Structure formats: C-alpha cells, structure tokens
Amino acid sequence: MDSKVIFFFALLSFLSLSSFSASASAFAEEDQNVQDPALVMNFYSDSCPQAEDIISEQVKLLYKRHKNTAFSWLRNIFHDCAVESCDASLLLDSTRRSLSEKETDRSFGLRNFRYIETIKEAVERECPGVVSCADILVLSAREGIVRVGGPHIPLKTGRRDGTRSRADILEQYLPDHNESISVVLDKFAAIGIDTPGLVALLGSHSVGRTHCVKLVHRLYPEVDPQLNPAHIPHMLHKCPDAIPDPKAVQYVRNDRGTPMVLDNNYYRNILDDKGLLLVDHQLAYDKRTRPYVKKMAKSQDYFFKEFSRAITILSENNPLTGTKGEIRKQCNLSNKNN
C-alpha cells in the first residue's frame, strides 16, 4: 500500500480516538458537575398536595390530647438533624447489627416516637410511598413550635430517609449539657449555626422539663453556688435523691412562669441564675453569648427571628435528596427490615 494512503488512515484513526477521548472527558466532567436536587418549598405540591395540611392537622389533634408531644417534636429535629444528616435516622429501631440512636445516653428523655408513626399512617392513607419520614419529622417540629406559641417557620421539603442508625457517631455531633460553651459553639458552628443562632436554639429550654438525672450534680453533694438561692428549695423538692431513678417521674419545669410557652422568659431566667443546666448558666455569662442573651431577654421578636433562622439551617443540614436514601414505609424501620 502507498505510504501516503497508510499515513492518511493512521491520521484518521488518531483524530477519531482524540475526538472520543475528548467527548468521554466532557461527559465525565459533566457527570461530576451534576448535583443532587435541592430542597424546595412545597415539594409535594404535585405528588401529594395535602401532605403538609395532613401533618399540621395531625399535630393539632395529637397536641390537644397530649400536650408534651410538642416538646418531643422540637427535640426530635435537633437530635436528628444535628447528627450528620437530616434523614430521620433518629427514628430507626435497633436491629441485631446496630443500636438505635433512640437508645443512647444522649437521647435520654426522648419519647412519643409512636406519634410520628400516627402522622405517617395518616399521610400514607392519602399518598402511599410518597412523603418521607425525614420531612414528617421536620414539619411536625415546625407545627409543634406553633402549638407552643412560637413562630410559624416556612421550611423546605424533599428530604429522603436514611437507612442506618448513626448511634456510633452521635456524640461527635450532639453537645452535652455539661460540656463547655466553647465545645457547644464549635459543634453548632460545624453545621452552619452561628452564635446568635445557638443562643436562640437553646431558647427551646423555655418549654418542657428536665429530668433530675440531668441536674442533680448541681444539687448534690453540695449545691452549686451559681444557682439562685430562691430557686434551690424548689429544685431540691423536685429532686430529693442524689441518685435519682432514671425511670422515675422526677422532673423540674424548665420555666416555672410559662412552662408550656416558647418565649423569651428563658433568657430572663438564666440572667437571674435560674437556669437548670450548666450550659444555661454558661450561656448567660460567657462573653461571646451574653450580649445575645440580654438582647433576646428584651425582645421576643429578635428571639423569634434568630430562632427561625437557626431552625431553618438545622433542618437543611446535609439532607438526602434525589435518588439517595429511600421513602420508608414505616418510620421506625428501613425498607429492607420491613
């Protein structure tokens, strides 16, 4: 064969390979740039238009029967969404291979999970297999906040459910009430919540109650001198044992003035040394947080504004969307275990 002909075919082959390589690279780069769908407002407007109304109505009915459900839903969003992803991993039961987050020490006092199942069942009757437990957890928290007098917070939806418990890493993310305020600030900052956001979120301590297990170290063997002397007799009356039974009904109301209302009275209480937990006291006196505590004590509008912003950030922490995760049939079981 003529050498010119051979050269032509060689050149043609090289150009074809180069073109294929460039196309493959372009496709690979395009694939890398594809992002998971973002959360959006009214995600279920087409697939389940009644979803948010059903959740809201169920929360109202359950709150009417069991007032403490609102506190549970408020705690749920923190304990789930602060731990790596807002994916309802908190709701999963233990299996032979993994411990449930619900059964860890950090989840002490969490309860009323059965009512999340009640809401899920109501939504499933309308739209089977459409609405995630992660979105139900977030929206029930939003509605619970309203039930206790807090602001209505517009929240995005479109989350999908995780398939595994995160009990093994929970303590890396959830701050303990006995940790220093620096550690608490750092853990919140890691998920995008700044100092005023942290101060506002801890305003959740305005409602509900604290089990004596969590506060007896401030009463026994000696009373913490940082506690308001006028508040001590009540705490000792409610917590008469240095080693309380975790299963006993021994609690102290977080706010004796308005115990069922989410309001800025919490900040006035901690400035008056009536905070039950060590973190409450630190919040009031640390130079980084005290200015915001004082501002929120004066203005409920400011507290609600920062609280709404912080809840929004928390609810959007690293969600599963698109094809990640699943839509659980039951909130306490992944589909493979159902």
Side-chain angles (χ1 to χ4, degrees), residues 131-326:
V131 181
S132 70
C133 297
D135 277 339
I136 290 173
L137 183 149
V138 165
L139 294 177
S140 63
R142 178 183 73 182
E143 298 304 321
I145 289 166
V146 173
R147 292 300 101 206
V148 293
H152 180 275
I153 308 170
L155 295 176
K156 296 176 181 179
T157 44
R159 298 165 193 78
R160 288 170 65 84
D161 300 322
T163 57
R164 64 180 182 85
S165 165
R166 290 189 168 84
D168 57 328
I169 60 170
L170 189 147
E171 293 195 9
Q172 298 175 31
Y173 293 90
L174 283 183
D176 182 75
H177 61 89
N178 284 322
E179 288 182 312
S180 72
I181 195 67
S182 293
V183 170
V184 177
L185 284 166
D186 287 345
K187 287 188 176 182
F188 275 91
I191 58 174
I193 295 175
D194 58 16
T195 301
L198 161 69
V199 174
L201 274 186
L202 287 180
S204 300
H205 290 178
S206 166
V207 294
R209 55 192 186 175
T210 299
H211 197 284
C212 293
V213 165
K214 295 293 185 181
L215 55 87
V216 287
H217 63 284
R218 302 194 73 191
L219 298 173
Y220 303 97
E222 295 179 352
V223 173
D224 185 340
Q226 295 172 325
L227 284 168
N228 187 318
H231 200 47
I232 293 168
H234 174 73
M235 294 175 68
L236 289 170
H237 174 70
K238 292 292 186 179
C239 301
D241 304 313
I243 306 177
D245 180 356
K247 296 180 181 179
V249 184
Q250 293 185 329
Y251 295 91
V252 180
R253 290 284 183 188
N254 291 340
D255 176 1
R256 293 174 67 189
T258 55
M260 304 295 288
V261 181
L262 180 69
D263 58 19
N264 64 337
N265 203 40
Y266 164 75
Y267 301 103
R268 291 190 285 271
N269 282 338
I270 63 175
L271 288 170
D272 196 26
D273 299 327
K274 293 179 181 177
L276 300 182
L277 301 172
L278 193 58
V279 71
D280 298 328
H281 178 79
Q282 292 185 70
L283 196 72
Y285 285 94
D286 188 275
K287 64 181 181 181
R288 292 164 292 184
T289 53
R290 184 175 175 83
Y292 300 108
V293 169
K294 294 174 75 173
K295 190 171 181 179
M296 290 179 197
K298 291 179 180 177
S299 171
Q300 181 145 293
D301 288 342
Y302 177 66
F303 163 46
F304 279 177
K305 185 186 85 168
E306 290 299 327
F307 183 79
S308 299
R309 185 174 65 86
I311 287 288
T312 301
I313 295 169
L314 183 63
S315 73
E316 296 177 9
N317 182 34
N318 193 31
L320 303 180
T321 60
T323 58
K324 291 181 178 178
E326 63 185 15

